[in-house]
Amino acid sequence: MAFLDKLNAMKDKAIEKGKTHWDENKEDYKEKAMVMKDEVENKLKERKGK
């Protein structure tokens, strides 16, 4: 049981670390997503034009 408790503690710590990272970098990720969206739209327009 001790091993399972330790494993769950590590999992919880990793989840918390991920949430913190997301909160700190949320705006950067949103900006990157918008750029990627625009690039995909442009590529689709180019393919339709061919």
Side-chain angles (χ1 to χ4, degrees), residues 7-32:
L7 195 61
N8 283 330
M10 287 174 53
K11 177 188 75 164
D12 293 343
K13 186 176 180 181
I15 290 171
E16 190 59 39
K17 187 175 180 182
K19 286 179 183 178
T20 301
H21 176 79
W22 168 253
D23 288 339
E24 290 173 354
N25 297 290
K26 191 182 332 185
E27 293 304 316
D28 290 338
Y29 288 133
K30 286 181 181 178
E31 289 175 22
K32 288 178 186 177

Side-chain angles (χ1 to χ4, degrees), residues 25-50:
N25 297 290
K26 191 182 332 185
E27 293 304 316
D28 290 338
Y29 288 133
K30 286 181 181 178
E31 289 175 22
K32 288 178 186 177
M34 292 302 293
V35 169
M36 289 173 66
K37 178 180 172 266
D38 292 341
E39 289 174 354
V40 169
E41 287 176 350
N42 289 337
K43 285 182 182 180
L44 289 174
K45 286 178 185 175
E46 289 175 8
R47 286 186 182 174
K48 281 187 175 181
K50 287 185 177 181

